[in-house]
Structure formats: C-alpha cells, structure tokens
Amino acid sequence: MTKTVRLGIAGLGTVGGGVLDILAKHAALVMARAGAKIEVTAVSARNKAKNRGHDLSRLTWYDDPVKLAADANIDVFIELMGGDGDPAKAAVELAINAGKHVITANKALLAHHGSALARLAEQKGVALNFEASVAGGIPIIKTIREGLAGNRVGKLFGIMNGTCNYILTKMANEGRSFADVLKEAQALGYAEADPTFDVGGFDTAHKLAVLTSLAFGSEVNLGAIDIEGIEAITLEDIRNASDLGYKIKLLGVAVASEEGIEQRVSPTLVPKGSPVSDTDGVFNAVVVKGDFVGDLMLEGRGAGAHPTASAVLSDIVDIARGNFRPAFGVPAADLRPYKAAPPKAHEGGYYVALELRDKPGAVAAVARVLAEENISIESIVQRGKSEKDAVRATAPFILITHDTVDTAMRAALARIETDGHVASHPRMIRIERL
Ligand code: HSE
C-alpha cells in the first residue's frame, strides 16, 4: 500500500496558498515523484474566515501554529509564517522535538537561529529543509548542498530580493519614483509584510547568511554582514550609472579566503552585459564560483506565490523519499566557527554623487580631502545643471574612484559633508567588476 505523508501547514498567505494550488493541480505528479500520497491534514493561519479558493473544511484548523506543530497526525510541519522569533521559532522547535520533519521558507529564522536549529534537527534525526528560503523558485540550496558537493566555493553573489530588483528595474525603465514602484511590488505579493526588510537590504542579508554557511561550511552569522539598502538610490544615480555603462543592483556578496569570510549587502554598479546585470524585474540570479565547476549562474523568479511554493514542493518530495541531508551540507557540529576577513581595498572602486555648492574652490576642496584619505580618482563627470540645481545654487558632480577601502571612502565623504561643500548627503555606491 502506498504510504501517506501528512502535512501541517502554518501560514496560508502568499506562499501557503501557492502550495495548496500546486498540490491540487499536480496531485498525481507529486505522488509519483514522492512515492507517497501527499495529504494536507492540518493548517493554521490568522484568519479562518478568509476565502483562499480551497476547501479547507475537512482539515484540522488551528489558530495557534504551535499547537499545529504538536499535532500527532502530521509527519511534516511546514512553516510559512516568517519572522525570526515566536511563534515561528517555538513552532519549529516543537515540531523537531516531536520528531517531525520541518520545511521552512523563513530566511529570517534561519539567519538568526540556523545553526542551532540544524543541530536540533540532527539530534532528532529529522529533516530541516529550506529550499524556498532563498531566491524563491531557484533551486540554489540544493545546487550548493548537493550539486556542488565536490567543489570548494570561493565566492558567491547575486540578486536575492525580487522587490528591490523590481523597484530598481521599474525606476530605470519607466523613470518612476521609488515609493510608487514599491506600492506596486507590495500589491503583487513580492514584498515582505514589512517592506523595510526588502528595501533596507535585510531580506537579502538573511538569504546571504544562509548561502554563506552552506557554501563555506561555516556557522550562520548574520551579524557579520555589512548591510545597506536601496532607499537612498535616486533616479539620477540610475541614469548616471547607465550613462557610465552600469546598472544598479542590490547585491549580496560573500567571499571566502585564507584570511576569513567577507559578506556584504549593498546597492552596486554592475557593468552592463556582466553576469546578473540583465536580471531584471522580480527575477533573482545567484552566481556561485566553484573551484572545479567554474562559474555557475542560476536565474529565475525570486518571489511570488507559485515560484516559492515550487521550492516548498521540492522539499516535500525529498522528505517523502527519505532524501535529506544535514541542513547546511555538513553536520552542524562540523560547521566551522565564523571568522571575518580583515577589511581590504575594494576592487572596482566607488561611484560618488555629490550635490556640490556652486562656488569657487569647491572642486579643489573635494579633491584635497580625497587625496588626504589616499583615494585616487579614476574619472569625474560634470552633469548639466537642472532647474533644481539652479534654484539651490548647486552643481551635480559625479566621481568614480580607483580601488580603495570602504572606511577611507566613508571618512572622506563625512569630511566633505562637514566642510559644507555639498548641499545634501553624498551618495556612494560600490562598483563591482564581477
Ligand atoms: N520579499 C522577498 C523578495 C520575497 O522580494 O524577494 C521572497 O523572499
């Protein structure tokens, strides 16, 4: 007789609804691949009355996801609520302690508690699978954990937040404001419940922390990531970057060397035509550099109900087949303590945008500060004045620097601002040669 794998789903929002859709549409396909009947037996969500387009009347309903996690009639607890604390954390821990497999799309939970949860799951002999937590429908977790098992990964980077990529793409292509496009991304179900997680770079950081651990075999360390979001990026920056041959993307980057690991999230100028530069809209792309495989890039839909649910389905099938491994590729006890690499000059330099006060000596003063901070200028672009500049008696001034250290750049810009040569906060964006 075919076995049955019983699922309990906590969270019936965008992704939870997507999982129900796929299970309804592809029941036979999923059963064939899983070698088991897959049945949702219990669910929990905030609002029981909401019409989700699925008949839930025969399922056990829980208002409290922690109670769902304790239900003796589920084999797999699927956590699709989000949030790095309770109830998600309590529910996942309880499910694992009760010997149930866990699937989660919750990158925040993993970024904060990933190593501990992996240890707990291994002690209890259950799966902790999280394909949906990073880059939506792109099977990047499986690729790193299984497909690249024979490689040492030296670097990975990518666009891992669909909302930010959607916003930057629409701003560039349609000349629309940041706030206007953000509203649209929220309406389309791409954004987090609190969109500052998206635009502030935190969602990308959560995902990067997970990939870093998987790729380099180190403990998850969200706190080690330098995080900068896209809130300060203006239409002028996007246009200037384009004129200079670049696009602006929010990148997560992790590099491992003998000295340690470097992780950062920041808006970045990427040369047009380079890997990831053509990844637009809600699409994500992740590049992994393995020592034997070379460069690998996976691109696909990084957010939205069905792509993300597609990743959850892959975890369900793996668990049904008994195909699961240590969460981060190696047993949690073997994850190396995280060692941060010392700061070094950023290869690629920086784009700097200044709203310079239009008076004699301003350019010379800026050049002097940069020289004193040991920053070499590669090129200077003086743009035509806009009406706003005429009113404010300012002139837009764009600099591209040679390779330099981040701290020197920040120190120079702070001095330029304090000295009163600029009328607004200077903007600096990293340039990646990729
Ligand atoms: N808010 C996320 C994004 C959803 O925009 O990519 C997927 O994690």
Side-chain angles (χ1 to χ4, degrees):
M1 204 170 112
T2 313
K3 71 170 177 174
T4 300
V5 174
R6 300 163 303 170
L7 312 176
I9 304 180
L12 293 177
T14 306
V15 184
V19 171
L20 295 178
D21 291 346
I22 300 181
L23 285 172
K25 179 122 196 249
H26 283 332
L29 186 80
V30 170
M31 183 168 153
R33 290 179 177 158
K37 197 162 171 243
I38 305 293
E39 214 174 80
V40 180
T41 52
V43 291
S44 116
R46 268 194 287 250
N47 179 4
K48 191 173 179 183
K50 186 174 166 190
N51 178 9
R52 297 177 169 85
H54 292 276
D55 178 12
L56 306 178
S57 60
R58 286 197 310 276
L59 310 184
T60 310
W61 178 276
Y62 291 94
D63 290 325
D64 180 356
V66 182
K67 294 218 169 86
L68 166 62
D71 186 327
N73 293 317
I74 65 166
D75 307 303
V76 183
F77 177 67
I78 305 184
E79 188 274 302
L80 305 174
M81 298 176 287
D84 62 47
D86 295 339
K89 179 168 176 277
V92 165
E93 285 170 348
L94 197 148
I96 295 174
N97 279 318
K100 299 177 202 310
H101 300 295
V102 168
I103 294 172
T104 180
N106 188 342
K107 51 261 164 167
L109 182 70
L110 294 163
H112 284 273
H113 309 290
S115 310
L117 290 173
R119 249 190 310 274
L120 186 62
E122 280 162 36
Q123 277 163 17
K124 299 289 170 185
V126 297
L128 173 65
N129 280 9
F130 42 81
E131 188 58 73
S133 65
V134 179
I138 302 176
I140 187 64
I141 304 288
K142 221 175 185 10
T143 298
I144 297 176
R145 187 164 48 199
E146 298 172 35
L148 299 182
N151 287 260
R152 191 172 287 284
V153 175
K155 179 173 185 178
L156 66 87
F157 61 90
I159 296 170
M160 302 176 205
N161 184 274
T163 302
C164 288
N165 207 37
Y166 187 82
I167 292 173
L168 293 172
T169 303
K170 288 266 170 177
M171 285 173 75
N173 294 351
E174 297 173 14
R176 286 166 58 194
S177 77
F178 174 85
D180 182 27
V181 187
L182 171 60
K183 250 187 250 150
E184 194 176 288
Q186 285 177 288
L188 290 167
Y190 302 146
E192 296 301 303
D194 175 356
T196 54
F197 270 77
D198 295 296
V199 298
F202 306 106
D203 178 75
T204 302
H206 291 151
K207 294 165 176 167
L208 183 67
V210 171
L211 293 189
T212 298
S213 180
L214 261 175
F216 305 149
S218 55
E219 297 218 333
V220 187
N221 193 338
L222 176 68
I225 306 181
D226 275 337
I227 308 172
E228 196 187 322
I230 64 164
E231 307 97 319
I233 302 293
T234 64
L235 273 174
E236 285 76 36
D237 293 327
I238 291 174
R239 288 187 185 129
N240 291 334
S242 180
D243 291 350
L244 292 161
Y246 296 93
K247 282 188 178 181
I248 300 181
K249 297 290 184 188
L250 182 73
L251 288 193
V253 182
V255 186
S257 66
E258 294 286 303
E259 296 171 295
I261 297 173
E262 188 191 342
Q263 299 183 88
R264 61 173 179 275
V265 172
S266 60
T268 308
L269 265 69
V270 297
K272 288 180 188 171
S274 62
V276 314
S277 68
D278 289 334
T279 300
D280 285 331
V282 73
F283 281 74
N284 283 192
V286 183
V287 176
V288 185
K289 293 172 176 278
D291 55 355
F292 282 100
V293 74
D295 291 6
L296 201 71
M297 175 163 126
L298 274 78
E299 185 183 32
R301 287 185 168 76
H306 291 150
T308 313
S310 154
V312 173
L313 260 293
S314 115
D315 283 345
I316 294 172
V317 168
D318 267 354
I319 288 172
R321 285 277 179 203
N323 171 26
F324 55 89
R325 295 155 191 246
F328 292 98
V330 295
D334 295 342
L335 288 171
R336 282 193 302 277
Y338 188 92
K339 183 181 162 209
K344 46 184 174 292
H346 165 58
E347 288 175 18
Y350 291 84
Y351 157 102
V352 178
L354 303 172
E355 193 191 358
L356 212 55
R357 293 200 192 283
D358 205 359
K359 55 182 189 205
V363 171
V366 167
R368 193 173 52 248
V369 172
L370 291 172
E372 283 167 9
E373 294 291 344
N374 212 14
I375 296 165
S376 160
I377 300 170
E378 183 183 291
S379 54
I380 292 174
V381 185
Q382 250 299 198
R383 320 289 302 173
K385 283 192 188 190
S386 65
E387 266 175 44
K388 186 184 98 183
D389 294 313
V391 173
R392 286 162 68 84
T394 56
F397 194 71
I398 313 299
L399 291 170
I400 303 289
T401 76
H402 284 294
D403 300 357
T404 182
V405 270
D406 189 271
T407 41
M409 280 306 304
R410 290 186 195 282
L413 295 186
R415 279 180 63 188
I416 288 167
E417 191 169 5
T418 319
D419 289 352
H421 299 301
V422 289
S424 57
H425 189 55
R427 294 187 305 286
M428 118 188 177
I429 309 176
R430 296 171 80 94
I431 302 172
E432 281 280 357
R433 295 197 196 110
L434 301 177

